[in-house]
Amino acid sequence: VQLLLQMAEDKRQLQQLEAKILQMLSESEGNILDDEVLINTLSESKLTAIAIGERVAEAEITEQDINEARSRYLSVATRGSIIYFVIADLGGVDPMYQYSLGYYTALFNRCIADSQKTSDLEVRLRNIIDYATQVIYENICRGLFEKDKLLFSSSVCFQILRNAGKIRDDEWNMFVRGPGAVDRASMPPNPHPDNIPAPMWDIICATEARLVYDHTDVVEGEPRDPLSHDAAPFKGLAASLQTDYGGNGVESPWATWMLSSSVMSEPLPGALNDTVNFFQ
């Protein structure tokens, strides 16, 4: 901060010197070489300008070094901002959840100071990020109702994954807002309206049609990242439901999966289990 203030002051003095010289030149009468006051002022101003210019140049180099060092910790700042804005949004869940920026800043700074030290920068950054995430989460959870803790933890997780590009905007919009307006006339028929409500069938068809990408980040022959994206992850979903669920009723794999008490851990029927990622 002091460096920035000094740079601003030096630049202000340079501007004042330039303005003073221009004013004296404009007010000078006759031959300016005969104006001793003007000549002396110009000489003094030149020396002052050189000194200030050197200080400004040195300060700019120092500022550049500081910025380079600061940029190495950008990932820490990013994680801190993600968690802060999730916390700030808790006020919309319950007006009682109010946390000041001062409190959060003090807590985050304490996490930086208390996290495990190491000379390896990458390890140090990971230590700060992991420690701060855990400590801040635990501190905030102490002030939340039990029913809101899952919402808070999932919100933090979702925003971290969105920032990392693991959850794409179109996926997030589908998850949060649904498909919006759909043309049901162009959609395949619902195979089991009694068990698949019309809004759910809208989501199924819209998801298959809209969540299609021009490339895949799945590397063939390598272990798959649980959050990697296939080019067409939901391809064949509606047809699979029509063929299997519609034709075989409650005995179908889809019916078994839907009625399972552990849907999240059960593999999806058909080929979908190999194309969708963990979030999808």
Side-chain angles (χ1 to χ4, degrees), residues 26-199:
S26 64
E27 294 176 353
S28 176
E29 297 179 357
N31 191 343
I32 61 173
L33 297 177
D34 296 332
D35 191 336
E36 293 185 7
V37 175
L38 176 59
I39 297 300
N40 292 334
T41 302
L42 288 173
S43 299
E44 293 173 0
S45 298
K46 181 179 179 181
L47 295 175
T48 304
I50 291 173
I52 293 176
E54 290 175 351
R55 288 205 305 268
V56 170
E58 292 174 359
E60 288 177 346
I61 293 174
T62 304
E63 182 185 25
Q64 183 177 357
D65 293 339
I66 292 173
N67 288 337
E68 289 178 359
R70 183 171 56 188
S71 66
R72 297 171 189 165
Y73 288 82
L74 184 60
S75 58
V76 173
T78 299
R79 176 60 60 88
S81 66
I82 289 172
I83 299 176
Y84 172 74
F85 284 110
V86 172
I87 294 171
D89 287 342
L90 288 175
V93 178
D94 192 308
M96 187 181 70
Y97 299 149
Q98 300 294 331
Y99 301 90
S100 70
L101 178 59
Y103 165 77
Y104 182 81
T105 302
L107 180 59
F108 193 76
N109 288 339
R110 194 187 79 191
C111 291
I112 295 175
D114 293 347
S115 58
Q116 185 177 356
K117 310 295 190 299
T118 176
S119 58
D120 188 317
L121 180 61
E122 292 301 321
V123 176
R124 172 64 174 153
L125 295 177
R126 177 46 53 190
N127 289 345
I128 296 175
I129 290 172
D130 291 346
Y131 184 78
T133 302
Q134 179 179 350
V135 170
I136 294 172
Y137 171 78
E138 292 173 350
N139 272 268
I140 298 301
C141 276
R142 292 192 185 105
L144 301 182
F145 292 119
E146 195 66 31
K147 65 182 179 64
D148 296 327
K149 291 181 180 179
L150 179 59
L151 173 63
F152 174 57
S153 58
S154 60
S155 295
V156 171
C157 180
F158 287 147
Q159 295 308 319
I160 290 173
L161 292 175
R162 290 188 69 197
N163 178 261
K166 298 295 186 179
I167 297 178
R168 300 183 179 181
D169 289 341
D170 51 357
E171 293 176 316
W172 182 251
N173 289 333
M174 184 68 73
F175 174 68
V176 174
R177 301 181 177 89
V182 295
D183 181 10
R184 288 181 174 172
S186 64
M187 290 164 46
N190 187 337
H192 213 302
D194 292 338
N195 290 338
I196 305 178

Side-chain angles (χ1 to χ4, degrees), residues 232-243:
F234 295 97
K235 184 178 181 180
L237 173 58
S240 175
L241 283 165
Q242 284 183 306
T243 302

